[in-house]
């Protein structure tokens, strides 16, 4: 359930990188802040030892602030954003830095704790009892089965799922942070190796390394910095939800969290005062094309059972009713679990500011985000421009003058200088020992 907001909460800065630690630097530069302004840290990751967050944040400074380490499966990044907003909204903090990062192993996801029961074991058992089991990766089976059920119930075809992937790959060509920027024809996608029908390889997200960060601030924090208000984006509605008993109603669609996505989407949109039919840009958790299909339905972006008709009409891309995943989505942008939700936030902030000028969905004042993890948890967020106006394209030269990094980070995946790093690291409580070799390693990468 959501609660009435006690105070408006904003995203003031964002940063994104194909690498790991630098994203926090970029977010602070974007927000025009120093780490000494931050009074709460949230680290989002799935694969790493305890207190990885402290290892990351100590490189900015050792200021003694609370640092939370968050792990909530594939919804980890947006869970961190939800935690930060809750803390800021409740007056616990005025400025929170959320950093999501992941370094993943090759291949499909698997358990790292074989000596104990899996938290998704009951979900897997239901899948086996209702749809059987194959040698395909477990997640591909789960979501692929949901796609099969959508075909059986509503008449979707394999071509409809392939078209989702074709569109997302086409969108990714304009995103400099995408893991895959190649475009594919529908025939290419249908002809790719079959993973679990109807899902071919190019309809499945890859494992990825990456990082993303966001600065979350209160109205009071922003009021004493009026020069930053033009770049602030309001978190107008947000809901985190978990599964209902319908998870085990023997439906493959229910088994991938349909009801919790539906509940979170409705609550976030209601809080923001936005109708699903009015959403024109959305970053949606397309870990597989099948999940995009069922989630379009769950979020109310189409009439029930009509998601495939929306796809056939060209209504999920530019020129259609709602551009879904202008970033390219998880299928082509990649899915570093802890960073994904924060990366979705960054894309929508750039869209609303008008900075994503090579892939802009123009004339919008609100944007919807959906980030889901089996097990389960989902966070839906509605962002709005703080001035209530529709977005307009901003040229990259103009962005470079105000971005803090000296270029347009929405269209260029570049790094930063040693001088810029020095600007955002704590002035009073920094430790070169904590920084270690990070600066040298980052410079070598860039």
């Amino acid at each position: 359930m959501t609660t009435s907001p006690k105070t408006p909460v904003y995203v003031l800065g964002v940063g994104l990188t194909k690498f790991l630690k630098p994203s926090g630097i970029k977010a602070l530069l974007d927000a025009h802040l120093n780490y000494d302004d931050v009074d709460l840290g949230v680290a989002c990751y799935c694969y790493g030892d305890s207190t990885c967050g402290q290892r990351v944040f100590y490189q900015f400074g050792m200021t003694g602030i609370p640092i939370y380490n968050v792990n909530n499966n594939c919804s980890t990044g947006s869970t961190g954003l939800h935690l930060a907003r809750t803390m800021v909204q409740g007056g616990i903090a005025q400025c929170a830095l959320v950093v999501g990062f992941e370094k993943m192993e090759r291949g499909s996801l698997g358990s790292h704790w074989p000596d104990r029961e899996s938290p998704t074991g009951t979900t897997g058992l239901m899948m086996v009892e209702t749809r059987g089991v194959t040698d395909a990766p477990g997640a591909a089976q789960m979501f692929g089965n949901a796609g099969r059920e959508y075909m059986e119930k509503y008449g979707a075809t394999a071509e409809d799922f392939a078209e989702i992937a074709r569109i997302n790959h086409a969108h990714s060509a304009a995103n400099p942070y995408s893991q895959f920027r190649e475009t594919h024809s529908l025939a290419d996608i249908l002809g790719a190796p079959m993973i679990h029908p109807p899902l071919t390889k190019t309809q499945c997200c890859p494992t990825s390394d990456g990082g993303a960060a966001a600065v979350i601030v209160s109205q009071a924090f922003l009021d004493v910095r009026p020069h930053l208000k033009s770049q602030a984006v309001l978190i107008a509605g947000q809901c985190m939800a978990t599964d209902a008993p319908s998870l085990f109603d023997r439906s493959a669609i229910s088994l991938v969290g349909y009801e919790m996505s539906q509940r979170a989407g409705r609550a976030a949109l209601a809080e923001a005062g936005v109708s699903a039919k009015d959403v024109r840009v959305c970053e949606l958790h397309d870990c597989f094309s099948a999940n995009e299909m069922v989630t379009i339905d769950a979020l109310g972006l189409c009439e029930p059972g009509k998601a495939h008709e929306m796809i056939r009409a060209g209504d999920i891309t530019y020129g259609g009713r709602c551009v879904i995943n202008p970033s390219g989505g998880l299928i082509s942008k990649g899915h570093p679990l802890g960073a994904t939700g924060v990366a979705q936030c960054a894309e929508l902030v750039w869209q609303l500011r008008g900075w994503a000028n090579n892939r802009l969905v123009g004339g919008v004042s609100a944007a919807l985000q959906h980030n889901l993890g089996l097990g389960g948890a989902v966070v839906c967020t509605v962002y709005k421009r703080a001035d209530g106006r529709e977005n307009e394209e901003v040229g990259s030269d103009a962005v470079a003058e105000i971005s803090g990094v000296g270029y347009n980070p929405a269209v260029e995946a570049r790094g930063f200088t040693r001088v810029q790093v020095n600007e955002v690291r704590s002035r009073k409580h920094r430790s070169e020992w904590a920084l270690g070799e990070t600066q040298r390693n980052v410079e070598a990468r860039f």
Side-chain angles (χ1 to χ4, degrees):
M1 295 180 64
T2 57
T3 57
S4 298
K6 297 179 181 178
T7 179
V9 178
Y10 300 87
V11 182
L12 185 58
V14 293
L16 191 59
T17 176
K18 293 182 179 181
F19 307 123
L20 298 179
K21 300 180 182 69
S23 60
I25 298 290
K26 295 177 80 171
L28 287 170
L29 288 167
D30 184 44
H32 300 276
L33 298 178
N34 181 272
Y35 187 68
D36 291 331
D37 297 313
V38 175
D39 50 19
L40 185 141
V42 182
C44 310
Y45 62 97
C46 291
Y47 296 108
D49 291 329
S50 183
T51 69
C52 280
Q54 281 84 331
R55 177 68 182 94
V56 171
F57 280 92
Y58 284 0
Q59 295 171 83
F60 298 106
M62 302 179 72
T63 57
I65 63 171
I67 296 171
Y68 294 85
N69 292 277
V70 174
N71 180 342
N72 219 9
N73 221 335
C74 300
S75 66
T76 293
S78 59
T79 299
L81 291 171
H82 184 273
L83 175 61
R85 187 208 188 200
T86 301
M87 290 294 197
V88 171
Q89 192 175 81
I92 305 300
Q94 296 297 315
C95 177
L97 176 61
V98 182
V99 179
F101 52 89
E102 210 71 73
K103 185 173 179 61
M104 301 179 69
E105 297 174 345
R106 285 182 172 272
S108 58
L109 302 180
S111 174
H112 282 245
W113 308 101
D115 62 335
R116 63 205 72 180
E117 185 176 349
S118 167
T120 58
T122 51
T123 305
L125 181 60
M126 178 58 71
M127 181 191 76
V128 172
E129 289 195 358
T130 54
R131 291 277 173 169
V133 65
T134 71
D135 292 332
Q141 293 183 63
M142 198 87 68
F143 287 101
N145 290 340
R148 290 185 190 183
E149 183 175 309
Y150 207 89
M151 297 168 76
E152 295 160 2
K153 292 180 69 173
Y154 304 120
T157 66
E159 287 78 12
D160 296 324
F161 294 98
E163 177 66 1
I164 289 173
R166 186 197 67 78
I167 289 171
N168 284 337
H169 283 290
H171 290 176
S172 73
N175 184 358
Y177 300 96
S178 286
Q179 186 169 343
F180 301 128
R181 301 185 69 183
E182 302 87 358
T183 59
H184 300 276
S185 69
L186 189 64
D188 289 339
I189 291 168
L190 287 168
M194 183 61 68
I195 303 301
H196 184 77
L199 302 175
T200 61
K201 186 175 182 179
T202 46
Q203 297 177 58
C204 307
C205 70
T207 53
S208 315
D209 297 345
V215 177
I216 310 300
V217 302
S218 68
Q219 182 72 59
F221 187 93
L222 198 57
D223 285 344
V224 297
R225 298 166 177 83
H227 59 291
L228 298 178
K229 288 188 176 183
S230 63
Q231 71 181 62
V233 170
L234 176 69
I235 302 177
Q238 189 174 62
C239 179
M240 179 178 174
T242 53
D243 289 301
S246 64
L247 181 71
F248 301 125
D249 68 5
R250 306 185 72 81
S251 161
I253 291 174
S254 296
L255 204 58
V256 295
Y258 181 95
E259 185 173 338
M260 67 176 176
S261 288
Q262 184 180 63
R263 187 186 325 134
R266 286 176 176 174
L269 288 163
E271 184 186 355
V274 175
S275 167
K277 293 181 180 179
D278 295 329
V279 173
R280 292 190 48 227
V281 61
C282 174
E283 282 287 308
L284 182 155
H285 194 92
D286 63 317
C287 48
F288 301 89
S289 61
N291 196 46
E292 181 164 332
M293 178 79 77
V294 300
T295 304
I296 288 171
D297 196 312
L299 295 179
L301 298 175
C302 67
E303 296 298 320
K306 303 292 187 181
H308 57 296
E309 294 184 9
M310 186 175 176
I311 292 156
R312 292 172 189 175
D315 279 336
I316 64 169
T317 188
Y318 295 88
R321 193 183 70 72
C322 177
V323 180
I324 296 178
N325 294 327
S327 69
L330 282 61
I331 284 175
S332 50
K333 183 182 63 185
H335 185 22
L337 273 60
T340 287
V342 191
Q344 290 177 320
C345 169
E347 175 65 26
L348 294 178
V349 166
W350 287 332
Q351 287 285 339
L352 289 171
R353 288 179 181 172
W355 291 14
N357 54 43
N358 67 340
R359 58 187 185 277
L360 190 68
V361 185
V364 302
S365 59
L368 175 63
Q369 176 189 356
H370 166 271
N371 185 206
L372 173 142
L374 295 180
V378 63
V379 181
C380 288
T381 306
V382 178
Y383 302 94
K384 286 185 174 180
R385 285 177 59 96
D387 59 12
R389 299 177 181 176
E390 295 181 350
N391 66 341
E392 296 179 353
E393 181 177 314
V394 181
S396 291
D397 289 342
V399 173
E401 295 180 3
I402 59 176
S403 68
V405 291
Y407 56 90
N408 184 354
V411 300
E412 292 186 79
R414 290 164 53 188
F416 38 77
T417 67
R418 184 180 291 268
V419 171
Q420 289 173 322
V421 172
N422 190 58
E423 288 176 3
V424 299
R425 291 184 69 212
S426 172
R427 299 185 182 95
K428 302 175 183 178
H429 303 287
R430 64 172 63 185
S431 167
E432 300 310 314
W433 185 266
L435 186 64
E437 296 295 314
T438 300
Q439 177 76 27
R440 183 178 301 173
N441 292 340
V442 168
E443 288 177 344
R445 282 173 170 175
F446 284 128

